[in-house]
Amino acid sequence: MNQVLLPVSVLCLLVLLLTVLLKKFRQPYMIAYIIAGLLIGPHVANLLPQAETIEPVAEIGILLLMFFLGMEIEIPDRGSLLFKPLVAQGTKIILTLVLTFAVSWLAGWPFLTAAIIFILLIFNSTAVVSEYLRKNGELNSEFGKMILNVLLLQDLMLAPVLTLLQFMGGGVFSWPRITISAGASVLIFFMLRAIRNRDFIQLRLQSVLQDDHEIQVFAGSVLCLGFGLLAELSGLSGALGSFIAGIFIGRLDAFNWLEKSLHPFKVFFVALFFVSIGLRLDLFYIKAHLLTIGLGTMLLLLVNSLLSAVVFRGLKYSWGESLYGGALLSQIGEFGIVACSLAYKMQVIGHDLFKTGVAITALSLLFSTVWITMLRQWVIAKK
């Protein structure tokens, strides 16, 4: 029997049943994807024994997600929508740094442990937050744009953080890599400014692409994956490159049909990405360390929410918006799993901290949507 057919069939059935259930409770479908991954993973049904089996393919889902975000989002033309995210992310980094190292000093944790915890806390999930904003029609609101810009700034921070992790693991600090990443970031900034002018990118492609959907699909795929590849080669995240490609494509009349065509692929690959998160949940380890992981996840959601809420309130947003924004930025991003894996491979952290970090990251992604929904409904009820 085909070795792939059974697990994929069971996965699709589980996702279907769970999404129907979640639809009744108006919960995001990404919860279904994570739970489905957990159920077919090595610690329950063992149909997919390793997350690495689908992880390379699943990462395409993040590229497609960011590509579609770029097509949908309106580029800010007001300085406040660029200035506020810079202040918000910078302030949160400082507050998180002070809090993390103060707690680590009091608890007697090693410096490297504190550094890894700090890195985990300053990154959030673009996939979770953007999908939540989009489904609630808030992606193009002023507050939604500000939140998304904060997440994009975090993507720009990936390269220096990865370099720092390698340095902590005993590697050589790569100034050329940092320089290339900084140059690419500046180039992206000027590209975004130029793309605001719609006429700037109205290239004469209509004669080649118009009414030929097959060429459009592959041309769009080349731009999405190609920009992601170029971004990674320059030291930035592939997701950021695909986002820029989406902005570019979204302003070309010749590609108006593309979004509808690629949407089914986006749904499937994004689902695979969250399934891979579920596959990483080790139920036996969580059960053995339930108190530590459970309290860690709850404290993470609460502390991250409060820190972000204080920052947003300082930027003159209402308490309702601030609390909602804090909830949106409460989880550890998918980069947390990458950071834990790299730190473990380079022997920066031990096995227990690695497993605990991965578990808390995955659970924060799973429960953050429930936390966001609860706070959002509370804020709406108070208005």
Side-chain angles (χ1 to χ4, degrees), residues 183-292:
S185 300
V186 173
L187 179 61
I188 286 172
F189 174 77
F190 284 107
M191 283 180 64
L192 290 175
R193 289 190 63 181
I195 290 173
R196 285 183 196 164
N197 181 0
R198 187 178 174 84
D199 294 332
F200 176 80
I201 57 169
Q202 285 306 313
L203 307 178
R204 295 182 178 179
L205 297 174
Q206 279 81 354
S207 59
V208 178
L209 298 172
Q210 193 170 14
D211 299 325
D212 196 325
H213 294 170
E214 291 186 13
I215 292 180
Q216 287 183 3
V217 167
F218 284 102
S221 300
V222 166
L223 285 168
C224 171
L225 302 179
F227 269 62
L229 176 61
L230 289 173
E232 290 204 352
L233 289 175
S234 64
L236 301 176
S237 72
L240 183 62
S242 294
F243 178 78
I244 301 301
I247 292 176
F248 184 80
I249 289 292
R251 275 106 188 125
L252 287 174
D253 293 335
F255 285 94
N256 286 341
W257 178 83
L258 182 64
E259 184 174 0
K260 182 178 179 181
S261 176
L262 289 183
H263 186 75
F265 296 99
K266 172 216 168 187
V267 171
F268 183 76
F269 283 108
V270 169
L272 281 184
F273 170 76
F274 284 106
V275 167
S276 71
I277 299 293
L279 288 172
R280 291 181 176 275
L281 282 172
D282 186 339
L283 289 182
F284 297 109
Y285 185 85
I286 293 174
K287 182 179 178 181
H289 302 82
L290 185 59
L291 183 61
T292 300

Side-chain angles (χ1 to χ4, degrees), residues 128-168:
V128 170
V129 177
S130 61
E131 280 291 281
Y132 196 92
L133 289 172
R134 186 183 61 80
K135 287 193 174 184
N136 286 284
E138 298 168 333
L139 192 60
N140 277 311
S141 67
E142 182 175 337
F143 192 67
K145 289 178 187 177
M146 202 275 292
I147 294 290
L148 185 60
N149 286 333
V150 169
L151 295 170
L152 292 176
L153 285 174
Q154 292 177 6
D155 282 340
L156 288 173
M157 292 165 50
L158 286 178
V161 169
L162 286 172
T163 303
L164 178 62
L165 279 174
Q166 292 177 347
F167 180 70
M168 289 165 60

Side-chain angles (χ1 to χ4, degrees), residues 63-71 220 224 242 245-246 249 258 262:
L63 300 184
L64 286 171
L65 174 66
M66 296 301 292
F67 183 67
F68 273 74
L69 274 178
M71 293 179 70
C224 171
S242 294
I249 289 292
L258 182 64
L262 289 183

Side-chain angles (χ1 to χ4, degrees), residues 45-57:
N46 199 32
L47 293 176
L48 282 175
Q50 293 182 329
E52 290 77 9
T53 306
I54 65 169
E55 197 171 68
V57 179

